[in-house]
Amino acid sequence: FRAHVAIFGALLAAVFVFVVVAARHVAETAGVGAFIARAGFYDPTTFSREGFWRATALGSLTYLGFDAISTLAEDARSPRTTIPRAMLLVVLLTGGLGALEVHLAHLVGGVGPAVETAFLDVSARAGGPVLVALIAGALLVASAGTFVTAQLGAARLIHAMARDGALPRRGFGDWDERRGVPRFNVVFVGAVAIVGAVVLSYERVAELVNFGAFAAFLAVHAASAAATWRARRFPRLACA
């Protein structure tokens, strides 16, 4: 818990520094009016529907993962209230800070051809090598923290599926009592992630993650609607 708090504080400090430096750069180069100018939100000379939908699909990656909080319900205090609040808080913080950072990055400009280093390009233009080093370190810490959280969430989800009989209990249903984690699933998810990182590009991973997440969300909503309809249509069967 203390490690998560420390990581969150460090990342929040990095975001604060970037916002201040980027806002100062924009104010000095384009004026204060650039923050609310129409061109900062919509420029008909560069806007395209294809780019808009591609950016929307890529931007959805910012929100994916908040539902993994639900996998920690068994370890949380008062999960009926704390888990929904935590998920809502994550969505609000992620959406607000992400929108602010992307807007400032767009105003600063200076993005190179490589998508993977776009934010570092913006940081270099706004604050020079010092800000680049700070943001690079923050990105490494954020990536490590995100991966550990996602790895544990996926491992626990696989364990729950094996416990309910959806997956083989042997291996996927094992639980390390001393460490309190599904050890086999943690190793399995980590191995799959390493192979994917070596074989796939960032754009391909984003496409696969978006497709899988959206397909899963649609399936969950469809199943929920079907269950609700069946409960109303056949109340005795639902009670059984």
Side-chain angles (χ1 to χ4, degrees):
F1 175 76
R2 294 180 180 178
H4 285 288
V5 173
I7 292 175
F8 176 75
L11 295 178
L12 196 62
V15 170
F16 177 77
V17 172
F18 173 80
V19 169
V20 172
V21 174
R24 179 180 178 181
H25 175 82
V26 173
E28 292 178 350
T29 56
V32 179
F35 293 111
I36 58 175
R38 178 185 178 186
F41 300 93
Y42 173 72
D43 188 355
T45 61
T46 59
F47 177 81
S48 67
R49 292 183 179 180
E50 181 182 358
F52 173 79
W53 290 117
R54 291 181 62 184
T56 301
L58 188 63
S60 63
L61 285 174
T62 306
Y63 296 94
L64 295 181
F66 71 91
D67 52 308
I69 298 175
S70 61
T71 62
L72 302 177
E74 296 179 355
D75 300 327
R77 297 179 181 177
S78 304
R80 291 182 178 272
T81 56
T82 56
I83 295 298
R85 290 177 182 176
M87 295 175 66
L88 180 60
L89 183 61
V90 167
V91 172
L92 293 177
L93 285 176
T94 303
L97 293 178
L100 178 61
E101 291 178 73
V102 170
H103 181 59
L104 290 175
H106 171 68
L107 295 178
V108 173
V111 178
V115 179
E116 293 84 353
T117 60
F119 209 76
L120 296 179
D121 296 337
V122 174
S123 301
R125 185 171 185 178
V130 176
L131 184 59
V132 171
L134 175 64
I135 297 301
L139 289 175
L140 289 175
V141 174
S143 299
T146 302
F147 175 76
V148 170
T149 303
Q151 183 182 16
L152 181 59
R156 293 179 70 96
L157 178 60
I158 294 174
H159 175 75
M161 295 176 65
R163 185 180 57 189
D164 295 339
L167 292 174
R169 294 180 180 271
R170 184 176 182 180
F172 295 117
D174 294 344
W175 185 267
D176 191 331
E177 297 293 343
R178 187 167 65 90
R179 295 181 175 85
V181 296
R183 181 175 55 185
F184 176 83
N185 296 338
V186 170
V187 176
F188 173 75
V189 173
V192 173
I194 292 175
V195 173
V198 174
V199 175
L200 303 175
S201 64
Y202 179 82
E203 291 84 354
R204 183 64 63 184
V205 171
E207 293 174 356
L208 292 175
V209 170
N210 282 334
F211 177 80
F214 291 153
F217 288 151
L218 288 174
V220 169
H221 288 300
S224 177
T228 302
W229 176 83
R230 194 173 90 169
R232 294 179 178 179
R233 185 74 174 178
F234 309 102
R236 295 183 178 179
L237 182 61
C239 294

